[in-house]
Amino acid sequence: MRASAWTFLVGVGVFLIGCNKGTSASGDSASPGGAFDADASRAQIIAADSAWVRAVQSKNVDSLMPYYASDAVSMSEGAKAADGTDAIRAAYVKMVKTNPRDMTLKVDAVTFSDDGTMATDYGSFSGTADGPGGKPVKFTGNYVNVWQRVNGRWVLIAEISNSAPVS
C-alpha cells in the first residue's frame, strides 16, 4: 500500500476518535429552561468521539454513520474528500480492513458558537494498523471535527485529519 493510502486510512480512522460507552451523539444540549448547556454539550461530543473510536476498533461501520449529517464531508491527508454519507461509509469500510487497534484520542478542546448550535473539537490521535504484508504500523496525527446541533442531537458536518510523525 502506498504511503498516501496509509495516510488516508490513518487520517480517516483517527479524526473522530474519542471515548465513551455506546453513547450516541444524541441528547438535547439545552437545560429544562431552554438555555444552552456548554458542559453537557461538551460531554456529549467527547462521548460521541469515544464511541466512534470503539466502533472503528470493533470494525462496525454501521454504528459510525449516525454521527454524520447526510451532507457531511470527511477529509484526510493524501485522499480525495469523502462527500456525503455514502462516500464516508466507503472510506471507513476500507479503513477498518487495516485492523485498527490500540487507538487513543486526546481531545484538546471543544468550543461552541455563540448561539450553541455549532461546535468544534480538535486534538490528536494514535494507534496501530496492519501495513503491507500484515506488519503492524503505528500512526499518529491531528484532527478537527465540526459539529452541528440538529433537533437536540450533535452530528458531524465536517472532519479533517492529518498524519504527524510517530514519536
Side-chain angles (χ1 to χ4, degrees):
M1 204 179 267
R2 295 184 337 233
S4 63
W6 274 109
T7 300
F8 167 75
L9 294 175
V10 167
V12 169
V14 176
F15 111 90
L16 269 177
I17 308 174
C19 321
N20 191 3
K21 257 188 179 170
T23 304
S24 68
S26 63
D28 197 350
S29 296
S31 68
F36 174 69
D37 184 340
D39 290 336
S41 290
R42 183 173 290 104
Q44 290 167 7
I45 288 170
I46 291 171
D49 282 342
S50 183
W52 185 95
V53 171
R54 286 190 313 278
V56 166
Q57 291 186 128
S58 71
K59 297 160 192 64
N60 188 346
V61 174
D62 289 338
S63 65
L64 295 173
M65 301 319 297
Y67 296 103
Y68 294 89
S70 61
D71 59 350
V73 63
S74 177
M75 295 183 279
S76 297
E77 183 178 333
K80 181 180 174 185
D83 191 4
T85 52
D86 290 342
I88 292 169
R89 174 186 290 281
Y92 286 130
V93 164
K94 184 177 178 180
M95 187 265 294
V96 299
K97 290 179 181 177
T98 68
N99 190 27
R101 58 199 178 275
D102 305 324
M103 294 171 61
T104 63
L105 179 76
K106 180 180 178 277
V107 178
D108 289 330
V110 179
T111 59
F112 299 96
S113 62
D114 289 341
D115 66 358
T117 62
M118 302 287 293
T120 60
D121 77 294
Y122 68 89
S124 58
F125 58 85
S126 65
T128 303
D130 292 341
K135 181 180 177 185
V137 176
K138 297 208 178 281
F139 58 84
T140 62
N142 304 296
Y143 76 93
V144 174
N145 294 324
V146 180
W147 301 84
Q148 183 174 26
R149 193 173 63 176
V150 178
N151 298 323
R153 190 174 163 253
W154 288 104
V155 294
L156 284 161
I157 59 172
E159 63 185 7
I160 188 167
S161 63
N162 65 349
S163 60
V166 176
S167 49

